[in-house]
Amino acid sequence: EDFEKKAHTGDSLTAEGGLVPPGIPGHSPDVAIRYDPQLARLKLSDAGFPDGVGFPPLTLNCFYMINPEKATVIARQWQEVLGIATSIREYSATAEFDDFQVWLSGWIAEHPDPNYFLGQSGIIRGWKTFGWKDPTFDALIAEASRTSDRSRRMELYRRADRRLVAEEVIVIPIYYGGRVSFLAKPWVKQFQYTRFNSFQLKDVLVEKRPGC
């Protein structure tokens, strides 16, 4: 039987802010590390690897649900711009690697609150599993979680986001959101994805089929 193709209305946005995306309280615009190939090459040379010469082999670990083309583009840019050869390794949620160097993944929140991105994100839990620690970041999140004043709470989350992205550079946001396509029978109505790429069954209507 025929299906209707529907699509989520949210398009991907290049990330220029922190881990908390636009439209969510506590979003911090313009904190992401800017794209600056000249500065990157200078920093690489200062570290003792001019034009990438002598840089250790690098592996980009790509979560199996992430489009592998994204990993391929990133690896190609590192090779062309910085002279760094990068291999790509796909992993699943059950993989246990103790040698993660770079990790390409994504996360979808279930609630429009900065704590879901900064305090409960699987991305943050993952890096802590790999040994990352930052008492300053943890203190900001802990204080924000028990602060009732909204303005103060949002400021603490913005500071935590800046710490994570602009100071520690433990997370490099690439893009926000994405377009989701799905198939539905013509008599299934109001089946729409939310900003979190999820949906509510309570909103779905199933019309009576002809002949039934």
Side-chain angles (χ1 to χ4, degrees):
E1 298 180 60
D2 292 337
F3 288 87
E4 289 184 353
K5 184 176 181 181
K6 304 176 184 295
H8 177 213
T9 57
D11 291 321
S12 298
L13 299 174
T14 300
E16 296 181 351
L19 188 61
V20 178
I24 302 298
H27 169 65
S28 300
D30 303 323
V31 301
I33 301 299
R34 70 184 187 278
Y35 179 73
D36 191 333
Q38 183 175 354
L39 179 60
R41 286 191 289 266
L42 178 61
K43 294 291 185 180
L44 192 62
S45 180
D46 290 343
F49 306 104
D51 298 322
V53 177
F55 196 88
L58 186 64
T59 299
L60 174 58
N61 296 280
C62 178
F63 190 47
Y64 75 102
M65 293 181 66
I66 298 294
N67 189 334
E69 293 181 359
K70 295 182 176 66
T72 301
V73 169
I74 292 172
R76 184 176 68 245
Q77 289 181 342
W78 285 344
Q79 175 68 62
E80 295 175 351
V81 177
L82 302 177
I84 296 177
T86 305
S87 60
I88 299 173
R89 177 172 60 180
E90 185 178 282
Y91 72 97
S92 68
T94 59
E96 295 184 2
F97 297 145
D98 58 3
D99 60 345
F100 269 40
Q101 298 169 305
V102 185
W103 172 26
L104 178 63
S105 187
W107 190 74
I108 301 174
E110 298 177 358
H111 187 71
D113 186 90
N115 187 61
Y116 265 77
F117 293 86
L118 299 172
Q120 301 181 40
S121 169
I123 296 172
I124 307 302
R125 292 197 303 269
W127 281 125
K128 288 187 175 182
T129 299
F130 303 142
W132 174 72
K133 297 179 180 179
D134 183 56
T136 300
F137 176 83
D138 290 341
L140 289 167
I141 295 298
E143 184 178 352
S145 66
R146 59 176 179 263
T147 299
S148 58
D149 180 85
R150 177 179 172 81
S151 296
R152 172 64 176 166
R153 184 171 179 265
M154 292 302 114
E155 176 58 26
L156 289 167
Y157 281 124
R158 290 189 184 96
R159 286 170 57 188
D161 209 356
R162 179 177 293 276
R163 177 73 177 172
L164 189 71
V165 174
E167 298 175 11
E168 287 285 291
V169 199
I170 192 69
V171 174
I172 303 175
I174 299 176
Y175 66 92
Y176 302 119
R179 179 173 293 275
V180 176
S181 297
F182 60 93
L183 299 176
K185 293 291 186 178
W187 54 83
V188 178
K189 307 296 183 182
Q190 297 184 196
F191 189 92
Q192 296 294 328
Y193 275 83
T194 69
R195 72 175 70 180
F196 299 119
N197 285 342
S198 61
F199 60 89
Q200 297 289 335
L201 287 176
K202 67 180 181 63
D203 298 326
V204 178
L205 294 178
V206 179
E207 296 180 344
K208 184 177 180 179
R209 296 174 56 183
C212 293

